[in-house]
Amino acid sequence: MSLQKHHVRVGLPQQHERSYSIHIGAGLLTTFTDLIAPQILPKQVLILTDTNVGPLYANTVQQQLADRTVLVHTINVGEQAKSLASFTEVMTTLIEHNFNRDCAIIALGGGVVGDLAGFVAATFQRGVDFYQVPTTLLAQVDSSVGGKTAVNHPGGKNLIGAFYQPQAVIIDTNCLETLSPRDFACGLAEVVKYGIIYDADFFDWLEANAQALLQRDAEALTYAIARSCEIKAEIVAEDEQEHGIRALLNLGHTFGHAIEAAAHASGDYTAWYHGEAVAAGILIAAQYMQQQGEFAQADVERIERLFEQFELPIYAPELPLGQWQGYMQRDKKVKAGKLRLILPTAIGRAEVRTVTDWDAVSQAILARTAPQ
């Protein structure tokens, strides 16, 4: 490992012109325009950010775009901002300032900002360029890569969206210095996911380097981000629109989204963050497979220990089973009314299965529900 900059290519073999680079390194915000020069950033640029990130980094990006017309649109912090109302507000800003189809959108922030900016870019004037500049660990290793864009609906997360790839992803690891411990831990949940679904050696490495990651050691973090992006890039290149292997990236998410939806329905947007809900969901999936005799109890315990080290929850909240089932049936992976779950078969391997035995799923949920 070294602290040199990493470049990961997301290759989309069917259409080479839509392939793009992920740039990873310290201080990249100050060389932003150099990295995207090959894309010839348009003259009209909208920077979409939030009330936390904007004051920290928007000026740095804006200064590099002095020869362009630049607007900064700021949304509130939190999942509730990933809405059709926010989408409409951004669209109104673009229209009122006479932006045309040659403009570009820069997503400067975490997953909420990136998902919203991508959906705006996918739909404004039927599609304009956008660039992902993720500032949270979760966004850097997950949501900024792969072209999934969306907003939420009261009926569920990410139900309104499109697949739309960015022109480039710029990951400045220095941005993680300002991240809260809780937000940082949420990103680690997605990093662990890559080891579980795809790379047993990477999972081993995470176990061995857990303390270095917690201490935000630059070398360890750069490697963890780069390897996570490499794995996601390989999967996206093979299955851009999630007809097959890409679904594995949703390990824990069907359960996790149910946890989030229940919390949001009660009006509480801070009880469970996305990464925390995914961590609990991963352990429910592992528990289910352990009960089926297809996943070793020792491996369940390895995942549990790693999440505990990263200060992530290892139990789900107590919810009525009917509520679990209702939210999970709205999941985008449900087909013909049948639940499809991503399930680990070993550390480093997972598969998608149609599950019809709700009683068995319920047992796994109850086994991983927070002790009272």
Side-chain angles (χ1 to χ4, degrees), residues 131-176:
Y131 300 83
Q132 288 276 15
V133 187
T135 59
T136 67
L137 181 59
L138 193 152
Q140 289 176 355
V141 301
D142 185 50
S143 59
S144 69
V145 179
K148 277 189 176 182
T149 76
V151 294
N152 299 331
H153 184 275
K157 278 177 62 72
N158 302 325
L159 293 180
I160 304 165
F163 288 96
Y164 195 70
Q165 301 292 345
Q167 295 296 303
V169 181
I170 292 89
I171 296 174
D172 188 337
T173 55
N174 286 350
C175 293
L176 300 179

Side-chain angles (χ1 to χ4, degrees), residues 30-149:
T30 60
T31 59
F32 182 88
T33 51
D34 293 338
L35 293 171
I36 60 176
Q39 279 85 32
I40 313 175
L41 193 70
K43 288 293 184 182
Q44 293 177 309
V45 181
L46 178 84
I47 299 172
L48 182 62
T49 189
D50 66 33
T51 52
N52 278 353
V53 175
L56 294 171
Y57 306 119
N59 191 53
T60 300
V61 175
Q62 197 169 3
Q63 284 177 344
Q64 297 178 70
L65 302 168
D67 60 338
R68 294 169 171 87
T69 300
V70 181
L71 291 178
V72 178
H73 185 104
T74 305
I75 62 173
N76 290 328
V77 174
E79 193 73 21
Q80 62 268 43
K82 200 169 99 173
S83 64
L84 282 172
S86 294
F87 170 81
T88 301
E89 290 169 6
V90 182
M91 284 291 191
T92 299
T93 296
L94 291 166
I95 293 165
E96 288 182 346
H97 289 85
N98 299 312
F99 271 52
N100 56 47
R101 69 182 312 170
D102 294 323
C103 72
I105 314 293
I106 295 175
L108 178 66
V112 168
V113 167
D115 282 6
L116 175 60
F119 189 46
V120 168
T123 50
F124 181 66
Q125 301 275 8
R126 297 193 178 94
V128 299
D129 289 350
F130 89 109
Y131 300 83
Q132 288 276 15
V133 187
T135 59
T136 67
L137 181 59
L138 193 152
Q140 289 176 355
V141 301
D142 185 50
S143 59
S144 69
V145 179
K148 277 189 176 182
T149 76

